[in-house]
């Protein structure tokens, strides 16, 4: 393997920023010389790295120098034929994969509980999606991934599909038998596209599940900023296949990503890969020991249980009946401990790739939160285990029909029977609960009302005051 200690893009940018040069180019802050005085001290260390495509700094959309070298190092580390730096997050990668794999009117098989960016990609492509319902996993009390039988049924019914899109792992670090599923899909000569936003660290060592690339996926998107020390919006798109065209992926990345990509984000991707590659066994032992210490503290409360996870960096608290995840999140935030997300009955905490040294804060917070929950008013329990009754579905209204239909607005309680003109998406995790083009049911409405009553954030404008946009 190539020298993974190298950081070519960072080194080039740092060297350039240390020159006594005059800027007659963009960006307008002129290497940090022009900036609001009140924020100068806060930004001054990063502004000299915020460059443009100058000589020696390469071009993300036609890389031949240090960006090319940095991407090659990433491809070698992650085991890809080609790796592309993304400055628009995993969203940009998901869009590019889907657009490269299928065209308008062509079928694509998609996991129903995918991230909203996948559904945006479907709409942009004009494809005809076939959705596979996820199975409800009682061990973690939530929907996870489609079971193999559902996937096999979808393939048998739609062998002409251009690709299959899956999420691995889920937001909570849960995996499934991906190798067997990929081998099954490949028997139909269909490429497998994986949204592995939460698995950038799976290439590290035996403490983690195998990465999707190692299991045979054709194209994989990873959010470097979620689990590795990269800046927000930094992500990777890996390709290791002849089933999907790398040239088409490059074409769509040039369309989707900014023509002025952020050098600080790209540099952080170079550094994040080197950081991952440089972690030692001793450092890993300290991290894992620290995780166990924190989990032991969290496990001392009788107001929640810690659910099993395949990723040791993910800790999910299952609230006891009558306690909502939103209430739990609020109490942790009052203690200045900020979790990643809450659902109607769970709270996700994401551990970092370094030991958590000071545990007294967490210990005292757990004690106070537990005492507070003893006197908290209990809430009704939401049952979502039967939400997806049909294993294989398609949109009730396809994308071409939605383009020409007149949109109207109705109160949420009167929306049953209409087709959703906007997705209703709890965020995080950003998985649409009702899809654009899906017919709204009374079960949908009841569940959305319960989620709103319990304070779950929905990415939908003014749903309480003005209702929902629909197609008749």
């Amino acid at each position: 393997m190539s020298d993974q200690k190298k950081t070519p893009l960072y080194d080039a940018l740092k060297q350039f920023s240390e020159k006594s040069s005059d800027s007659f180019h963009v960006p307008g802050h002129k290497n940090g010389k022009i900036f609001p005085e009140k924020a100068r001290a806060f930004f001054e260390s990063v502004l000299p790295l915020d460059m443009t495509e100058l000589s020696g700094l390469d071009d993300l959309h036609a890389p031949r120098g240090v960006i090319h070298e940095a991407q090659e190092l990433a491809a070698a580390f992650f085991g890809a034929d080609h790796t592309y730096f993304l400055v628009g997050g995993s969203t940009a990668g998901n869009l590019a994969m889907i657009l490269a794999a299928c065209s308008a009117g062509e079928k694509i098989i998609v996991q129903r509980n995918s991230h909203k960016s996948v559904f945006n990609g479907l709409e942009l492509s004009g494809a005809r999606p076939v959705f596979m319902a996820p199975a409800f996993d009682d061990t973690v009390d939530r929907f996870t991934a489609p079971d193999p039988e559902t996937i096999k049924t979808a393939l048998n019914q739609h062998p002409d599909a251009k690709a299959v899109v899956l999420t691995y792992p889920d937001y909570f670090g849960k995996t499934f038998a991906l190798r067997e599923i990929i081998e099954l899909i490949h028997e139909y000569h269909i490429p497998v596209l994986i949204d592995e936003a939460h698995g950038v660290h799976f290439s590290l060592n035996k403490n983690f599940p195998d990465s999707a690339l190692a299991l045979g996926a054709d194209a994989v998107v990873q959010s470097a900023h979620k689990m590795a020390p990269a800046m927000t919006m930094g992500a990777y798109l890996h390709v290791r296949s002849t089933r999907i065209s790398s040239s088409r992926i490059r074409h769509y990345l040039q369309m989707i990503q900014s023509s002025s990509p952020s050098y600080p984000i790209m540099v952080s991707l170079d550094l994040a890969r080197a950081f991952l590659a440089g972690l030692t066994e001793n450092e890993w032992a300290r991290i894992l020991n620290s995780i166990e210490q924190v989990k032991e503290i969290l496990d001392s409360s009788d107001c929640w249980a810690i659910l099993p996870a395949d990723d040791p960096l993910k800790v999910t608290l299952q609230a006891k009946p009558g306690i909502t995840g939103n209430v739990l999140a609020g109490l942790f935030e009052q203690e200045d401990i900020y979790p990643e997300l809450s659902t109607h009955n769970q709270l996700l905490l994401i551990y970092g790739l370094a030991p958590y040294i000071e545990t007294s804060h967490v210990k005292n917070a757990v004690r106070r939160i537990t005492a507070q929950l003893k006197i908290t008013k209990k809430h009704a329990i939401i049952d979502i285990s039967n939400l997806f009754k049909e294993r294989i579905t398609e949109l009730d209204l396809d994308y071409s029909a939605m383009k020409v239909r007149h949109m109207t607005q109705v109160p949420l309680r009167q929306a049953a029977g209409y087709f959703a003109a906007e997705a209703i998406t709890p965020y995080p995790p950003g998985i649409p609960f009702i899809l654009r083009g899906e017919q709204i049911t009374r079960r949908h409405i009841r569940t959305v009302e319960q989620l709103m009553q319990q304070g779950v954030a929905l990415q939908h404008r003014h749903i309480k005051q003005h209702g929902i946009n629909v197609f008749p």
Side-chain angles (χ1 to χ4, degrees):
M1 181 181 286
S2 53
D3 184 0
Q4 290 294 322
K5 293 181 181 179
K6 294 176 66 176
T7 53
L9 181 54
Y10 168 73
D11 294 343
L13 198 58
K14 183 174 183 293
Q15 184 179 11
F16 195 98
S17 69
E18 291 170 347
K19 291 181 178 181
S20 298
S21 59
D22 292 327
S23 170
F24 285 89
H25 56 78
V26 298
H29 57 68
K30 302 299 179 183
N31 303 340
K33 293 182 177 66
I34 304 172
F35 208 71
E37 195 60 39
K38 65 182 294 185
R40 181 183 298 277
F42 196 68
F43 280 87
E44 63 183 356
S45 63
V46 73
L47 287 174
L49 298 178
D50 186 29
M51 289 288 183
T52 189
E53 293 87 350
L54 303 176
S55 297
L57 297 184
D58 210 358
D59 180 352
L60 178 63
H61 297 299
R64 296 180 182 87
V66 289
I67 294 176
H68 172 75
E69 187 180 353
Q71 291 185 149
E72 288 288 294
L73 285 164
F77 175 73
F78 290 105
D81 293 336
H82 306 284
T83 291
Y84 304 97
F85 283 1
L86 305 176
V87 295
S90 283
T91 291
N94 284 336
L95 296 179
M97 282 197 306
I98 291 169
L99 289 167
C102 62
S103 301
E106 294 181 331
K107 293 180 185 177
I108 183 169
I109 299 172
V110 182
Q111 182 174 331
R112 171 60 182 82
N113 56 332
S114 295
H115 187 264
K116 64 176 184 176
S117 60
V118 170
F119 297 101
N120 291 338
L122 297 175
E123 183 168 355
L124 287 173
S125 72
R128 179 183 163 192
V130 175
F131 297 114
M132 301 180 295
F136 191 83
D137 188 337
D138 292 319
T139 65
V140 292
D141 195 31
R142 63 177 181 270
F143 289 99
T144 52
D147 57 46
E149 192 59 36
T150 297
I151 295 173
K152 191 170 185 177
T153 300
L155 291 168
N156 287 334
Q157 292 180 0
H158 305 279
D160 55 339
K162 296 300 181 180
V164 175
V165 183
L166 298 171
T167 302
Y168 170 97
D170 71 5
Y171 213 116
F172 299 82
K174 183 73 173 172
T175 62
F176 53 95
L178 182 59
R179 186 189 299 277
E180 299 170 23
I181 289 170
I182 289 174
E183 290 174 352
L184 170 65
I185 296 168
H186 281 171
E187 289 177 8
Y188 292 77
H189 308 289
I190 296 173
V192 181
L193 316 180
I194 301 293
D195 179 355
E196 196 177 39
H198 285 264
V200 69
H201 54 305
F202 282 9
S203 296
L204 284 171
N205 55 44
K206 64 182 184 303
N207 295 301
F208 298 101
D210 289 329
S211 70
L213 271 181
L215 296 174
D218 299 278
V220 176
V221 172
Q222 297 172 332
S223 286
H225 70 92
K226 283 186 168 62
M227 303 302 296
M231 292 183 68
T232 296
M233 294 178 72
Y236 304 110
L237 170 53
H238 309 294
V239 179
R240 192 172 75 176
S241 175
T242 57
R243 297 181 184 88
I244 187 167
S245 168
S246 291
S247 62
R248 283 177 62 86
I249 284 179
R250 287 193 295 269
H251 169 72
Y252 285 110
L253 283 176
Q254 290 185 45
M255 293 177 63
I256 293 164
Q257 300 215 92
S258 171
S259 60
S260 301
S262 164
Y263 270 84
I265 292 176
M266 289 190 287
V267 165
S268 76
L269 291 171
D270 192 24
L271 292 168
R273 181 269 313 153
F275 175 88
L276 294 176
L279 284 171
T280 66
E281 287 299 321
N282 286 338
E283 288 171 325
W284 271 113
R286 292 177 59 218
I287 292 169
L288 293 173
N289 181 61
S290 176
I291 292 171
E292 290 308 311
Q293 290 179 357
V294 172
K295 288 174 71 174
E296 186 176 336
I297 293 169
L298 292 169
D299 207 26
S300 65
S301 175
D302 60 358
C303 292
W304 58 73
I306 297 179
L307 295 180
D310 300 311
D311 181 353
L313 299 183
K314 299 293 184 72
V315 181
T316 302
L317 307 183
Q318 171 84 31
K320 292 299 174 69
I323 301 172
T324 70
N326 188 60
V327 166
L328 203 54
L331 292 173
F332 270 91
E333 289 176 3
Q334 287 178 19
E335 299 289 339
D336 288 327
I337 297 173
Y338 289 85
E340 171 64 14
L341 70 85
S342 62
T343 70
H344 66 287
N345 65 346
Q346 295 181 357
L347 189 74
L348 174 62
L349 307 170
I350 298 181
Y351 205 89
L353 291 171
Y356 185 81
I357 304 299
E358 181 51 62
T359 59
S360 60
H361 180 205
V362 176
K363 187 178 295 184
N364 292 331
V366 167
R367 177 176 50 79
R368 287 191 289 265
I369 291 169
T370 300
Q372 180 66 31
L373 286 171
K374 300 289 186 182
I375 58 174
T376 297
K377 179 182 177 181
K378 300 298 186 283
H379 294 76
I381 300 171
I382 301 176
D383 180 15
I384 61 170
S385 60
N386 293 314
L387 180 62
F388 303 109
K389 287 189 172 296
E390 296 182 48
R391 291 193 303 171
I392 309 294
T393 59
E394 298 186 50
L395 286 178
D396 299 297
L397 201 62
D398 64 35
Y399 297 122
S400 59
M402 284 187 266
K403 285 184 178 180
V404 298
R405 286 226 179 180
H406 175 71
M407 184 173 66
T408 188
Q409 196 173 75
V410 298
L412 176 64
R413 290 191 175 184
Q414 298 175 21
Y418 287 93
F419 303 100
E422 293 181 272
I424 296 181
T425 307
Y427 193 87
I431 294 171
F433 178 71
I434 299 174
L435 295 177
R436 174 172 156 86
E438 187 172 24
Q439 190 165 36
I440 301 168
T441 67
R442 296 193 183 280
R443 180 183 289 105
H444 284 143
I445 295 170
R446 286 196 300 270
T447 304
V448 170
E449 287 179 334
Q450 288 177 309
L451 291 172
M452 289 193 300
Q453 288 169 5
Q454 296 188 4
V456 175
L458 299 176
Q459 286 193 329
H460 188 284
R461 293 169 295 178
H462 313 303
I463 189 170
K464 288 184 180 180
Q465 296 89 347
H466 304 298
I468 180 174
N469 289 324
V470 297
F471 296 116

